[in-house]
Amino acid sequence: MKLILLGAPGAGKGTVAKLLTKMDGSVQISTGDILRGAVAAGTELGKQAEAAMKAGDLVSDDLIMGIMKDRLQEDDCKNGYLLDGFPRTIPQAEALKKLLADMGEELDFVVNIDVPRDVILDRLTTRRTCEDCGAIYNVKSNPTKVEGVCDACGGKVVQRDDETEEAISNRLDVYNEKTAPLADFYEKEGMLLTVSATSSDAVIDAIKEKLGK
Ligand code: ADP
Ligand code: ZN
């Protein structure tokens, strides 16, 4: 399957993407994970992205399109992909449309995961992420077996730099201003499936139904 997962930070895009990869070998492509990897590795890309990320602002469209153009040509995309955290602006959505047309590819549809703001805030402040494999935990609802250690890979599980209260509030504002308009964009393209659900299983069920599976 080839899907875009839209939704505010903390809506569950990453969790849903990981569950979907188990269904048919589609890969999760998270621009946030790619950027965090680049920052951790200290690459040129990481250096360019770091300050914006830390403040909860968006990285430039050019930088993101450069990454995605290469990523979508990789072999593992043949079985399908779940775009998690991309596109994030109207220019990115337009550039993606052109890129896919050039590649002769079509998406199945765009899933808009719609979760109330109070749930989002609660989730983001209690969320923890594995530095190595990107696995997501929650200190209240889904803690690691051993504190600070990833169940999946043994990596270090931490609170992200951009998950301070100030950065979270900025990320939600940026989302409302720059990314929320994408729902209209894809609605007009006839590609939007909005799911109002706080459980990832309910989101998965709605996606399966739409895919006819
Ligand atoms: P979230 O949990 O907010 O969805 P992500 O892991 O997707 O977070 O992204 C973390 C940060 O990486 C964003 O706040 C932003 O700075 C940067 N980023 C990720 N994807 C994009 C994108 N498509 N366009 C611009 N910036 C991005
Ligand atoms: Zn891990």
Side-chain angles (χ1 to χ4, degrees), residues 9 13 31-32 36 57 59 64 85 88 92 127 160 171:
K13 300 182 296 290
T31 41
R36 277 186 290 280
D57 291 328
V59 171
I64 296 289
R88 204 84 146 214
Q92 288 180 22
R127 180 155 91 173
R160 277 167 36 183
R171 276 161 67 207

Side-chain angles (χ1 to χ4, degrees), residues 67-178:
I67 296 173
M68 287 307 292
K69 198 172 168 191
D70 292 343
R71 184 65 189 87
L72 287 171
Q73 322 260 358
E74 280 176 39
D75 265 357
D76 62 351
C77 291
K78 296 257 161 7
N79 298 323
Y81 39 78
L82 308 152
L83 303 184
D84 162 12
F86 169 85
R88 204 84 146 214
T89 63
I90 297 280
Q92 288 180 22
E94 274 163 355
L96 174 64
K97 188 176 170 184
K98 182 165 184 309
L99 178 61
L100 291 174
D102 288 349
M103 293 172 67
E105 292 205 11
E106 241 177 275
L107 297 172
D108 292 302
F109 51 89
V110 177
V111 186
N112 183 24
I113 309 174
D114 184 25
V115 175
R117 190 181 165 102
D118 55 328
V119 176
I120 296 268
L121 276 175
D122 189 55
R123 274 188 192 167
L124 288 177
T125 47
T126 54
R127 180 155 91 173
R128 300 292 182 270
T129 307
C130 173
E131 279 185 339
D132 291 340
C133 76
I136 297 162
Y137 298 93
N138 186 290
V139 288
K140 286 199 240 163
S141 60
N142 177 29
T144 51
K145 292 197 182 80
V146 179
E147 199 184 322
V149 181
C150 179
D151 294 352
C153 80
K156 200 171 156 198
V157 173
V158 298
Q159 181 160 29
R160 277 167 36 183
D161 273 358
D162 60 356
E163 290 183 345
T164 62
E165 245 176 79
E166 197 187 341
I168 287 172
S169 149
N170 188 41
R171 276 161 67 207
L172 291 175
D173 290 345
V174 169
Y175 178 80
N176 288 330
E177 187 190 330
K178 305 264 173 64

